[in-house]
Amino acid sequence: MTGSCHLTRLQKIGGIKVDRVLVVCPTYSGKDYALEEYLHAYNNFSHKNKHLFMVDNSDNNYIEKLLSLGVDAVHVDILDKRNIEGVLSSAWRLFIKKALSERYDFIFSCEADNINPPETISLLLDFCHRYNAGIVAHDYPDGCCRDFPDDMITGLGCTMIRTCLFSEDVFSDNASIEWNIYLHINKSKFPIIRLSNILKTNHLKNGL
């Protein structure tokens, strides 16, 4: 059952209440080329009340590297890695469970090869509050938007979502994560906002 939408345990920073944001990232060893820049960007986010949580599905011991760097991460075994939606659904079930159980106000999905500027979290939260949005998604910088409706998110590389709109059983293994989230938020009647060319994001590619 979806939780009620209200502000929860906001941390006071300088006398001001600040949203608790869970930064989530599915990953595997093939994204290791971006890890150093990713963690640097995370640590530079101006929003202070945040926590990074990664879910690794590698066949090797990549999880050990993540943990050695102080990353809050877990490993999941996936039988069929060719089923990318099943892989992502497994990760997102863990993201939702953690966000709900630990009462985070928002989930910020920041993919493992997407490097975002310091103001990213604060800017997306501002749009969420200003328009009472259920989700605010920023398009990838390299124009990889598919032919989705204008009010539909086109990826999860840089996306802020209200935790209270979710339950742990949102995702189907056989449908795209974007479509699952779009349908779920659309049913909630909260606005869906899609941004383009506001943030100077950097979509890293292996070898470049």
Side-chain angles (χ1 to χ4, degrees), residues 60-71:
N60 52 30
N61 60 353
Y62 188 57
I63 183 66
E64 295 180 9
K65 178 174 182 176
L66 296 174
L67 295 174
S68 72
L69 292 171
V71 177

Side-chain angles (χ1 to χ4, degrees), residues 56-123:
D56 166 56
N57 60 74
S58 304
D59 290 326
N60 52 30
N61 60 353
Y62 188 57
I63 183 66
E64 295 180 9
K65 178 174 182 176
L66 296 174
L67 295 174
S68 72
L69 292 171
V71 177
D72 182 7
V74 297
H75 175 78
V76 293
D77 290 315
I78 306 295
L79 295 178
D80 183 9
K81 287 187 170 59
R82 295 170 299 178
N83 178 8
I84 186 63
E85 300 306 337
V87 170
L88 293 175
S89 292
S90 296
W92 269 90
R93 287 191 183 97
L94 294 174
F95 297 152
I96 295 296
K97 182 177 181 179
K98 184 177 182 70
L100 289 173
S101 64
E102 299 182 19
R103 300 180 65 193
Y104 284 89
D105 300 296
F106 288 88
I107 298 170
F108 174 48
S109 176
C110 184
E111 289 186 356
D113 55 4
N114 202 32
I115 311 302
N116 298 295
E119 69 273 18
T120 299
I121 292 178
S122 298
L123 184 143

Side-chain angles (χ1 to χ4, degrees), residues 122-179:
S122 298
L123 184 143
L124 297 182
L125 285 174
D126 180 63
F127 272 90
C128 283
H129 289 305
R130 192 188 313 174
Y131 299 102
N132 199 31
I135 184 168
V136 178
H138 195 285
D139 286 343
Y140 271 93
D142 50 10
C144 61
C145 299
R146 286 160 282 187
D147 294 327
F148 290 166
D150 288 341
D151 63 344
M152 183 174 178
I153 61 173
T154 56
L156 294 171
C158 183
T159 302
M160 189 71 69
I161 312 167
R162 287 184 186 271
T163 304
C164 58
L165 299 179
F166 284 120
S167 61
E168 293 179 31
D169 59 352
V170 170
F171 301 106
S172 163
D173 287 343
N174 297 316
S176 76
I177 294 298
E178 293 97 333
W179 186 245

Side-chain angles (χ1 to χ4, degrees), residues 4-10 17 19 103 105-106 129 162:
S4 59
C5 270
H6 60 277
L7 296 180
T8 54
R9 293 186 324 191
L10 302 189
K17 291 184 177 181
D19 292 298
R103 300 180 65 193
D105 300 296
F106 288 88
H129 289 305
R162 287 184 186 271

